[in-house]
Amino acid sequence: MEIVSTSLQFVPIFADLPTETLLKIEQIGSKKRYTKEEPILLEEDAGNVLFVILSGKVKVSRSSSDGREVILTILGDMDFFGEMAILDGLARSANVIAIEESEVFLIQRNDFLQLLHDHPEISVILLQELTARLRNADMKIKALSLKDAEGKVATVLLQIAEYSGKIKSGVVEIDKLPVQQDLANMAGTSRETISRTLHSFAKRGFVEIDGNKLRITNFEKFKETFE
């Protein structure tokens, strides 16, 4: 079996499709590599491609009225993006930039819409994925509007932990924590606040930091304290 076909089996919206269908998707799509910090798409671009991340990580962001970057989310292996513009035919609503070397699988809009027609089960899973993203967005909006700086930073750590953390015996380890400026852009605060808050969390025993690795020592207690 081809590597791309094997990879596509782990993409949530394609997971239940038979091998022969995955082979067809592979044939109608294409692959592209992006280097670190290379833009993949920009806000207001035409929305005619769906992207699936085969490897790597990207950040989805928008620019505020004063020019600051606001990171909406970070996506990794087997995540997809670009679906909103695919479905409504409008321009892109955010920027997507590779934060490490990434390989992406691209499907043109007409081909993806045909897939939805031929395989309605993809539409159901797509709705579930979009609902989960909407819930996460609601949680982030609540945190940014109602919580203090410490609560905002904790919310971002919880989101990253839920998404990419590895849990064992109540300890969650995040192998590649985003750089502090990206964390600040996610939390709507400053890099200095991130540094100060992480140091405070470590001093109080909530987390352990080793380079770009972070361990939440008691995940349930951390959630109870800051949610």
Side-chain angles (χ1 to χ4, degrees):
M1 186 177 294
E2 297 290 335
I3 293 178
V4 173
S5 298
T6 303
S7 297
L8 291 181
Q9 291 178 355
F10 297 100
V11 179
I13 56 175
F14 299 143
D16 294 332
L17 299 179
T19 300
E20 56 269 25
T21 302
L22 294 177
L23 288 169
K24 291 178 181 178
I25 296 174
E26 176 192 348
Q27 292 171 357
I28 64 176
S30 60
K31 290 189 294 182
K32 187 172 181 180
R33 285 190 173 274
Y34 294 88
T35 58
K36 183 178 179 180
E37 303 301 333
E38 183 177 0
I40 299 175
L41 60 85
L42 298 175
E43 197 171 344
E44 303 303 330
D45 281 352
N48 54 7
V49 178
L50 178 80
F51 299 82
V52 177
I53 305 170
L54 298 179
S55 63
K57 282 188 173 63
V58 307
K59 61 181 177 181
V60 183
S61 66
R62 300 194 70 175
S63 297
S64 65
S65 58
D66 59 0
R68 291 183 299 108
E69 180 185 46
V70 178
I71 296 179
L72 305 178
T73 190
I74 291 178
L75 303 175
D77 295 0
M78 304 307 138
D79 280 327
F80 60 91
F81 58 91
E83 74 287 340
M84 289 176 58
I86 286 288
L87 295 174
D88 63 19
L90 300 179
R92 302 297 187 185
S93 59
N95 306 303
V96 180
I97 298 172
I99 56 176
E100 61 185 48
E101 185 174 340
S102 302
E103 183 177 35
V104 179
F105 186 74
L106 297 77
I107 306 177
Q108 296 295 319
R109 181 172 189 262
N110 289 340
D111 293 324
F112 185 68
L113 293 178
Q114 186 62 49
L115 276 174
L116 295 183
H117 180 271
D118 295 339
H119 299 278
E121 63 271 28
I122 296 178
S123 299
V124 176
I125 301 172
L126 182 61
L127 283 172
Q128 293 172 342
E129 290 287 327
L130 293 177
T131 300
R133 292 183 182 185
L134 182 59
R135 288 186 183 276
N136 287 334
D138 286 344
M139 183 174 73
K140 186 170 184 178
I141 291 170
K142 178 180 178 181
L144 293 179
S145 60
L146 300 179
K147 294 185 179 181
D148 59 14
E150 192 172 80
K152 294 176 182 179
V153 176
T155 297
V156 169
L157 292 182
L158 286 169
Q159 289 179 330
I160 296 172
E162 293 277 8
Y163 167 69
S164 61
K166 300 174 183 176
I167 187 166
K168 184 178 180 180
S169 301
V171 176
V172 172
E173 183 168 296
I174 301 169
D175 285 335
K176 293 183 179 180
L177 190 69
V179 298
Q180 290 190 0
Q181 187 58 59
D182 282 346
L183 288 173
N185 293 343
M186 294 175 73
T189 186
S190 67
R191 187 186 63 78
E192 291 76 16
T193 298
I194 294 293
S195 178
R196 184 171 60 251
T197 303
L198 290 179
H199 178 75
S200 174
F201 285 168
K203 188 175 181 180
R204 291 149 66 189
F206 286 122
V207 303
E208 296 173 352
I209 303 172
D210 181 12
N212 66 345
K213 290 186 178 181
L214 181 141
R215 286 178 292 276
I216 300 176
T217 55
N218 187 326
F219 187 60
E220 290 304 318
K221 181 180 179 181
F222 192 73
K223 286 178 65 176
E224 290 174 3
T225 302
F226 294 106
E227 276 194 337

